[in-house]
Amino acid sequence: MKLLRDTWLIFQRQMLLVLRNPVWLIIGVLQPLYFLLLFGPLLQDALQVDSAADAYRIFVPGLLVMLAMFGAMFTGFGLIAELRAGVIERSRVTPVSRVALMLGRALRDVATLLFQAVLITVLAIPFGLTVRIGDVLLAYLMLGLIGVMMSALSNALALKLRTEDALAPLMNGLAQPLLLLSGILLPLSGWVATVANFNPFSWAVDASRALFAGDPGDSTVWQALLILGTLTLLAILWSARSFARSVR
């Protein structure tokens, strides 16, 4: 119970900081909107599908996975700022759970991500997107797993590197191949699709597209949930251990 209470307290504080300075939240919404409004109209011809609705059922799920990846991937920069300001150092004298310090921040990232995902989904409806509530909720669960995983990894790396000069090139170096090998913008084919099988986000994109197509029984759905669930658990354990070592 103490872990849950402490996690809730950290989550409340982090959400308050987001609401006081919602710049990153706004930027996080605007970037996918640019893709939705400026890139989306080109999809029907590019994908050679029968309707705009079919095109958006392919495009929007990939867009949401991209949002989950990049929305949480760079949260470590905020943690470095807190390290520099002494916030983490002052946590040494509090009885708060060290694991809660990580979980509260990760849940903040998930809450922000889900708000953005719902907004993007709703805005895509006038363009012809249709999806069942149960399927989209399962897709959001997958996005939540990605959000927790990327937030935990970013924070763990931030605690290890402790400088933006080192974290920035590392995260950018990871982001580019993960993005290109995930099939977010367009479905992959050929040897690129073979290499993409080793990218967990490629599985997430395929599973999300199956859900938005109304096929929750597709094998990629449970496979993606299993892969993402395992990686998320490992990321949480590593990040929690990093927080425990940093705040003693």
Side-chain angles (χ1 to χ4, degrees):
M1 292 299 295
K2 182 181 185 301
L3 175 61
L4 294 177
R5 185 183 72 249
D6 291 349
T7 300
W8 175 247
L9 290 174
I10 297 297
F11 171 74
Q12 284 182 307
R13 179 183 179 276
Q14 293 297 319
M15 286 303 300
L16 184 61
L17 294 175
V18 170
L19 294 175
R20 284 179 177 175
N21 186 22
V23 174
W24 289 112
L25 180 62
I26 296 172
I27 293 175
V29 171
L30 286 179
Q31 187 178 22
L33 277 179
Y34 294 147
F35 281 98
L36 189 67
L37 299 176
L38 302 179
F39 190 73
L42 307 175
L43 289 173
Q44 186 173 345
D45 292 336
L47 296 174
Q48 297 181 350
V49 292
D50 296 330
S51 65
D54 292 334
Y56 277 94
R57 272 194 290 270
I58 295 174
F59 183 59
V60 171
L63 197 60
L64 294 179
V65 173
M66 183 178 74
L67 186 67
M69 288 174 57
F70 288 92
M73 182 177 283
F74 298 97
T75 56
F77 290 98
L79 183 60
I80 290 177
E82 290 188 356
L83 283 168
R84 187 176 294 113
V87 174
I88 303 300
E89 181 70 21
R90 289 195 292 272
S91 299
R92 292 174 182 266
V93 298
T94 67
V96 67
S97 167
R98 300 338 186 198
V99 178
L101 291 172
M102 181 275 299
L103 287 178
R105 287 172 168 81
L107 291 179
R108 169 208 61 192
D109 296 330
V110 171
T112 304
L113 164 65
L114 293 180
F115 169 78
Q116 296 169 328
V118 170
L119 183 59
I120 294 297
T121 305
V122 170
L123 291 176
I125 292 176
F127 294 94
L129 177 69
T130 57
V131 60
R132 294 181 301 201
I133 294 296
D135 294 339
V136 78
L137 290 178
L138 190 54
Y140 288 164
L141 171 62
M142 202 174 305
L143 297 179
L145 289 174
I146 295 174
V148 172
M149 176 177 64
M150 298 308 294
S151 176
L153 288 174
S154 182
N155 286 326
L157 289 171
L159 288 171
K160 187 172 184 63
L161 299 175
R162 293 177 176 263
T163 170
E164 294 91 344
D165 292 338
L167 184 62
L170 176 61
M171 299 310 292
N172 284 323
L174 290 174
Q176 201 167 39
L178 289 175
L179 174 65
L180 295 175
L181 291 173
S182 61
I184 282 175
L185 300 179
L186 294 172
L188 301 177
S189 61
W191 66 268
V192 178
T194 303
V195 177
N197 287 330
F198 297 94
N199 182 2
F201 301 109
S202 175
W203 291 88
V205 170
D206 291 341
S208 297
R209 284 176 175 152
L211 290 169
F212 272 72
D215 188 13
D218 192 289
S219 61
T220 57
V221 175
W222 68 263
Q223 289 170 344
L225 287 172
L226 179 61
I227 292 171
L228 293 174
T230 302
L231 292 176
T232 300
L233 179 60
L234 294 174
I236 289 174
L237 292 175
W238 182 39
S239 186
R241 187 177 181 182
S242 299
F243 269 95
R245 287 180 173 178
S246 298
V247 188
R248 285 182 177 175

